[in-house]
Amino acid sequence: MSIKLFSVEYDQVNERGTFSPGDVLSGSVTVVASKETKVQCLMVNAKGKAEVKWYDQNGRTTVLHQDEENYFDLEYIILQDKNKGDGSEIIRQGRSVYPFTFVIPNTDMPSSYDGKWGRIAFSLQAQLTQSIWSIHKTRIEFPFLTKSEFPFGSKSEMLIIGLQERQCATKISFYGSGKVTLNVTSEKMGLTQGETMEVSVEVINSSNRVVTPKFFLCEKQLFVAQSEAIMHTNEILFGKGESVSARSSRTISNVLSIPPQLNPTFLNCSMIKLEYTLKVTLGDPLARDPDIKLPLVILQASSQPCHQKTK
């Protein structure tokens, strides 16, 4: 019990506090010992990986779906006994600080992300081994931001071409003997975090009911493990438009604002993907086929910090 404190920390390289491919990741390990202590090894690992995990219930059987992908696993040895086992390295009494430095591989990797059944995490783990019966570990995550402006993998060319193009869609919904026609137009498909966009909805209400268009941001998280996939969806209410009376028409324009803390779209991870759509609906359970969905791509804002969770 001579080790009273064991911690690891890193130095920030920018105002965001994020790291990207090719960056130098420096930090230090702090050890506080109540007396002079012999150790076998003191080391630090820098890791980046994606992992997914979920359970399916098949009758009485529970099936585990799990997989992971490693992006890098770097090792830095601070202290190691020369005879590999005699514990000849000494940590002095009191507080000792040991610096370390890594260079993050300059390859395409997705940003840090926490999802429903998976996450992409980048971490530092320090380990102090006194003997096979006495091992101390400490871990901290650091936020990682991809260098790719468009992290869309194989879909990049198709998506990039359409990011600034105007989008239009039409849908006819039936309410009993009447019908309602929706014509939806959005300024573009690609928006950065915190950006606003005007969406125009022409409502031709030939029914005998009052209808009110609603705007939703729909999030789709896809997780893949060993050829099995599971999806998690979430809807955020953007707002409501003005009501349209029976047997009347109206064009409604709403300015929608992308939440600045929203995770950007990414498709460049083999096991986790994040996509969005803009949904315009009349929100009436009596209507048949009442929704219009337009693709929406959320891009990383250059001035936005990384909003991922850390442990």
Side-chain angles (χ1 to χ4, degrees):
M1 301 298 293
S2 61
I3 303 301
K4 298 302 181 183
L5 174 68
F6 185 50
S7 65
V8 61
E9 59 184 13
Y10 58 85
D11 305 322
Q12 293 192 4
V13 295
N14 55 43
E15 293 181 355
R16 291 181 174 184
T18 60
F19 292 85
S20 295
D23 283 349
V24 174
L25 174 60
S26 298
S28 60
V29 176
T30 300
V31 184
V32 176
S34 62
K35 62 181 181 180
E36 187 176 276
T37 303
K38 291 184 177 182
V39 299
Q40 293 180 359
C41 185
L42 173 59
M43 60 184 293
V44 185
N45 281 91
K47 295 182 180 181
K49 70 175 183 179
E51 54 186 354
V52 297
K53 180 180 180 179
W54 77 90
Y55 295 91
D56 278 341
Q57 197 69 34
N58 186 6
R60 295 183 178 182
T61 304
T62 300
V63 181
L64 170 64
H65 302 280
Q66 186 175 15
D67 205 351
E68 66 178 44
E69 178 181 1
N70 290 311
Y71 298 116
F72 61 85
D73 188 349
L74 309 175
E75 181 179 274
Y76 186 96
I77 297 177
I78 298 173
L79 297 173
Q80 186 174 47
D81 62 13
K82 299 176 178 59
N83 296 319
K84 297 183 180 179
D86 67 355
S88 59
E89 291 292 339
I90 301 296
I91 292 180
R92 63 178 177 81
Q93 180 181 1
R95 179 186 177 90
S96 301
V97 179
Y98 302 94
F100 60 83
T101 298
F102 295 101
V103 178
I104 299 174
N106 195 9
T107 58
D108 180 36
M109 292 176 279
S111 299
S112 302
Y113 178 71
D114 261 310
K116 178 71 173 177
W117 290 294
R119 63 197 312 261
I120 302 167
F122 298 82
S123 65
L124 288 167
Q125 178 173 295
Q127 179 171 308
L128 174 62
T129 303
Q130 292 179 263
S131 68
I132 59 173
W133 300 282
S134 182
I135 299 175
H136 305 269
K137 293 182 180 181
T138 184
R139 181 177 181 271
I140 187 174
E141 293 188 4
F142 57 91
F144 186 83
L145 197 62
T146 182
K147 271 187 175 180
S148 175
E149 186 179 3
F150 307 108
F152 308 141
S154 61
K155 296 184 178 181
S156 292
E157 185 176 348
M158 179 181 66
L159 281 174
I160 293 170
I161 291 173
L163 289 177
Q164 301 301 319
E165 292 185 354
R166 197 176 189 85
Q167 297 188 94
C168 300
T170 298
K171 179 67 67 72
I172 299 176
S173 300
F174 294 92
Y175 288 73
S177 59
K179 67 179 181 179
V180 179
T181 302
L182 288 179
N183 296 309
V184 179
T185 303
S186 66
E187 288 184 274
K188 54 187 176 180
M189 180 172 64
L191 294 96
T192 57
Q193 297 164 304
E195 188 178 357
T196 59
M197 174 180 68
E198 184 176 70
V199 178
S200 176
V201 182
E202 181 189 20
V203 182
I204 304 172
N205 186 6
S206 302
S207 74
N208 56 2
R209 303 172 63 88
V210 176
V211 296
T212 305
K214 296 180 181 179
F215 303 86
F216 290 89
L217 175 65
C218 302
E219 176 190 64
K220 182 177 75 173
Q221 303 175 17
L222 179 67
F223 305 90
V224 179
Q226 300 172 347
S227 301
E228 297 292 330
I230 190 171
M231 187 183 301
H232 174 69
T233 59
N234 184 40
E235 291 188 353
I236 302 170
L237 178 63
F238 262 150
K240 297 180 181 180
E242 299 176 40
S243 297
V244 181
S245 303
R247 310 295 176 182
S248 66
S249 301
R250 173 178 286 180
T251 298
I252 301 162
S253 294
N254 265 30
V255 176
L256 310 180
S257 179
I258 302 299
Q261 74 277 10
L262 204 66
N263 289 289
T265 301
F266 69 87
L267 304 173
N268 63 337
C269 176
S270 63
M271 296 188 302
I272 306 174
K273 302 186 188 304
L274 178 65
E275 298 180 76
Y276 297 95
T277 54
L278 168 65
K279 183 174 82 171
V280 181
T281 178
L282 298 175
D284 192 318
L286 299 177
R288 284 182 287 160
D289 203 18
D291 303 335
I292 285 181
K293 289 186 178 181
L294 296 174
L296 193 61
V297 176
I298 310 300
L299 304 171
Q300 177 75 43
S302 57
S303 60
Q304 290 294 329
C306 188
H307 291 276
Q308 315 303 332
K309 300 176 184 177
T310 56
K311 291 184 178 179

